[in-house]
Amino acid sequence: MTLAKTPLYDWHHAAGGRLVDFGGWSMPVQYTSIIDEHNATRTAVGMFDVSHMARFRFDGAGAGDFLDKLLTRKASVVPMGKIRYSLVCNDEGGILDDVLIYNLGEGDNQYFWLVVNAGNRQKIAAWIEQHLPSEGVVFTDHTLETAMIAVQGPKAIAAVQPLCDVPISDLKYYSGALGTLCGEPALISRTGYTGEDGVEVTVPAAAAIAIWDQILNAAQPLGGLPCGLGARDTLRLEAAMPLYGHELSESIDPITAGLTFGVSFDHDFIGKDRLEAARDAAPPMVRVGFRCADRRVPREHCTVHIGDQQVGEVTSGTFSPTLNQPIAMGYVDPAIAVSGTAVEIDIRGKRVAAEVAPLPFYSRPRT
Amino acid sequence: MDPSQLLYAKTHEWAFVEDQDGGKVATVGISAFAIEALTDLVYLELPKVGSQTTAGQPFGEIESVKAVSDVYAPVTGEVIAVNEELPNKLESLNDDPYAGGWIAKIKITDESGLANLLDQPAYEKQCQEEG
């Protein structure tokens, strides 16, 4: 299969980015060092090409009602300019994807914008088409004609603001606005997947490299670096943000995944009855964090034990640059989902000592 | 160690082979190419002194932030020494994997595998092909 390329592919290639297959896209995993890129994001600015994420638009009088049915969050009551985290579930309550739903535009130009994981683009587009009413909703895929750049870190706003006519400081977390960035029409949102403050900007594909260069020129004097998916993974894992295909899948429901905040039960949506049942039942397992004293890193599928009992399984693990120790997330029996519980994790046939740790591993200092 | 005097496994380990006590001893480590490809090293598991190695089989592991990789023995023999300090100064591997960066010394018990190792020009050609 030929890998898709984002509008920034040529830049990544020229910059020496190590390109890997991610969700069917050729993406940079790192340019220099994951740890350096991670630390730049925690202390200054990290820039990420996230154009591989799918971007869908919904217009029409019926769009709100349709999205209400599709999403665990009630899209039709999201205030103008606001963004909500939501799940898309199948009839059994299994998670088809985790998404962000935006309410944008104004008056007659109001529309909804949906950002979907790269690897789920075709699946979710097909799911939408399958449930789309015959009239009243216009669904369009804008993934290929736009680029999306995440600018993250304590100095991200300082880097982007001089290039942008949207007053970013006035945008609250999980808000977005349409405006102009480097002279091009842009969607600016106060969102991200790193645990830091920052923005994600969506711009025309043809302008992507020029805009990337201008933001990078502004970010570099502040200590900023371009970052690959490697740092994106260590950053999101420290912030305990779930990743589809690891913590989330069709075989787990949002309640069990610890994402009840992304479900509103005040409307009808696909999978609702299963989620209500999950809400009212004892959870079969609980998503927790693990910290290890040793330096061997637990990875996905490593099993978690107490004595001769298996009590859970790791879904993601990495070496935390911030904490300077291995960290992981996974699911365990509810009985041991207590911070400080001593467990052992089987890493390639050898057990290492770990303890159940509170999530997130990292919270940014609030100013 | 002069990289041009070393032998290399296709799996990116190096070996410096010298005569000692009527036999051959190989000092072994990981190539600069592999260290650069791994980057962000966080853990190295050394083999145990006295353990047997088989050329082409794993005898240790090295872990980066992104992934864990096996370290393959370039020669068949018995581990007679390991670089105990190395796991505590993995960053030194980035500067020079050939001097202080040796992993183990292996007393070779079967020299037949040595012919499978590459000289430096052949190894560099392989690295260029891997990109």
Side-chain angles (χ1 to χ4, degrees):
Chain A
M1 190 180 83
T2 309
L3 293 179
K5 295 174 180 174
T6 78
L8 289 159
Y9 173 86
D10 288 345
W11 193 96
H12 303 317
H13 187 69
R18 271 188 222 163
L19 298 164
V20 299
D21 174 3
F22 184 84
W25 294 78
S26 181
M27 298 298 293
V29 67
Q30 67 205 79
Y31 300 92
T32 54
S33 145
I34 292 172
I35 291 175
D36 289 351
E37 293 169 16
H38 177 107
N39 289 337
T41 308
R42 286 274 180 259
T43 59
V45 190
M47 286 180 59
F48 305 77
D49 178 11
V50 292
S51 305
H52 59 309
M53 307 274 286
R55 291 171 291 284
F56 297 156
R57 176 171 167 156
F58 301 85
D59 291 88
D65 287 345
F66 168 66
L67 288 166
D68 284 353
K69 185 180 169 216
L70 194 78
L71 302 177
T72 58
R73 227 35 189 283
K74 195 172 181 183
S76 61
V77 300
V78 175
M80 189 67 68
K82 292 294 180 189
I83 303 162
R84 295 287 183 260
Y85 179 82
S86 181
L87 291 309
V88 181
C89 289
N90 61 24
D91 294 315
E92 288 74 45
I95 300 172
L96 289 170
D97 202 6
D98 65 335
V99 299
L100 291 186
I101 179 72
Y102 301 53
N103 185 5
L104 294 173
E106 51 190 293
D108 291 344
N109 296 317
Q110 185 275 340
Y111 63 91
F112 292 97
W113 189 253
L114 190 73
V115 175
V116 170
N117 279 300
N120 290 332
R121 178 170 161 227
Q122 280 79 10
K123 179 178 80 173
I124 296 299
W127 184 251
I128 289 166
E129 296 282 4
Q130 183 187 331
H131 291 89
L132 206 60
S134 56
E135 56 185 25
V137 187
V138 179
F139 161 55
T140 45
D141 183 343
H142 295 259
T143 309
L144 301 183
E145 66 195 54
T146 56
M148 189 170 174
I149 300 168
V151 190
Q152 302 279 298
K155 298 179 182 173
I157 309 299
V160 176
Q161 185 64 80
L163 306 170
C164 175
D165 70 352
V166 172
I168 300 171
S169 297
D170 293 349
L171 280 182
K172 290 202 164 66
Y173 190 52
Y174 270 62
S175 299
L178 299 168
T180 302
L181 176 67
C182 304
E184 298 283 344
L187 162 60
I188 314 290
S189 65
R190 196 100 178 242
T191 49
Y193 193 53
T194 60
E196 293 299 328
D197 192 8
V199 292
E200 292 175 306
V201 301
T202 304
V203 297
I209 289 182
I211 290 172
W212 173 276
D213 278 333
Q214 287 192 63
I215 300 174
L216 186 58
N217 284 340
Q220 276 174 330
L222 306 174
L225 286 179
C227 301
L229 294 178
R232 188 167 159 83
D233 193 52
T234 54
L235 290 158
R236 72 94 193 168
L237 194 39
E238 286 185 350
M241 293 170 162
L243 175 62
Y244 198 86
H246 290 258
E247 286 71 40
L248 312 181
S249 72
E250 290 180 33
S251 58
I252 196 155
D253 68 79
I255 310 302
T256 305
L259 301 174
T260 305
F261 74 91
V263 180
S264 52
F265 286 102
D266 58 353
H267 71 294
D268 284 325
F269 57 89
I270 299 167
K272 183 185 181 185
D273 53 344
R274 297 299 185 97
L275 268 53
E276 283 176 331
R279 178 194 61 186
D280 298 335
M285 54 191 181
V286 176
R287 180 161 63 95
V288 297
F290 303 102
R291 286 191 193 220
C292 305
D294 196 11
R295 289 180 75 85
R296 298 180 88 224
V297 181
R299 309 280 181 182
E300 185 183 18
H301 302 313
C302 286
T303 50
V304 182
H305 304 264
I306 293 180
D308 54 9
Q309 288 278 325
Q310 185 183 334
V311 295
E313 188 171 318
V314 171
T315 48
S316 297
T318 194
F319 186 86
S320 162
T322 304
L323 303 175
N324 196 36
Q325 70 178 162
I327 58 171
M329 283 196 287
Y331 289 98
V332 296
D333 292 346
I336 73 134
V338 178
S339 294
T341 303
V343 297
E344 289 180 316
I345 301 179
D346 186 315
I347 303 177
R348 308 219 302 172
K350 290 178 204 158
R351 288 193 181 186
V352 302
E355 69 173 40
V356 176
L359 296 175
F361 298 99
Y362 167 87
S363 299
R364 72 184 165 93
R366 300 283 162 167
T367 49
Chain B
M1 304 280 173
D2 176 353
S4 71
Q5 300 303 309
L6 305 177
L7 296 172
Y8 297 86
K10 293 189 172 94
T11 47
H12 302 291
E13 294 80 16
W14 57 262
F16 177 71
V17 180
E18 55 193 330
D19 293 324
Q20 197 173 305
D21 301 334
K24 285 189 191 311
V25 170
T27 303
V28 303
I30 301 169
S31 78
F33 178 88
I35 296 298
E36 200 200 325
L38 290 164
T39 61
D40 300 313
L41 300 176
V42 298
Y43 175 77
L44 170 70
E45 184 175 84
L46 297 168
K48 290 199 165 43
V49 172
S51 63
Q52 305 293 315
T53 65
T54 303
Q57 296 297 312
F59 81 127
E61 59 180 46
I62 190 158
E63 185 136 26
S64 72
V65 169
K66 193 75 195 148
V68 63
S69 307
D70 282 320
V71 183
Y72 295 90
V75 299
T76 297
E78 180 188 335
V79 177
I80 55 171
V82 295
N83 187 351
E84 303 276 3
E85 289 300 305
L86 189 59
N88 300 319
K89 50 170 193 175
L90 289 174
E91 64 286 351
S92 70
L93 283 172
N94 293 305
D95 302 327
D96 185 1
Y98 302 117
W102 66 280
I103 290 176
K105 293 183 187 295
I106 300 172
K107 185 175 170 50
I108 298 174
T109 55
D110 178 356
E111 296 182 21
S112 62
L114 289 177
N116 294 327
L117 298 177
L118 307 172
D119 62 11
Q120 190 194 30
Y123 177 64
E124 286 195 344
K125 183 162 175 287
Q126 180 198 314
C127 292
Q128 278 168 13
E129 284 164 3
E130 285 185 22

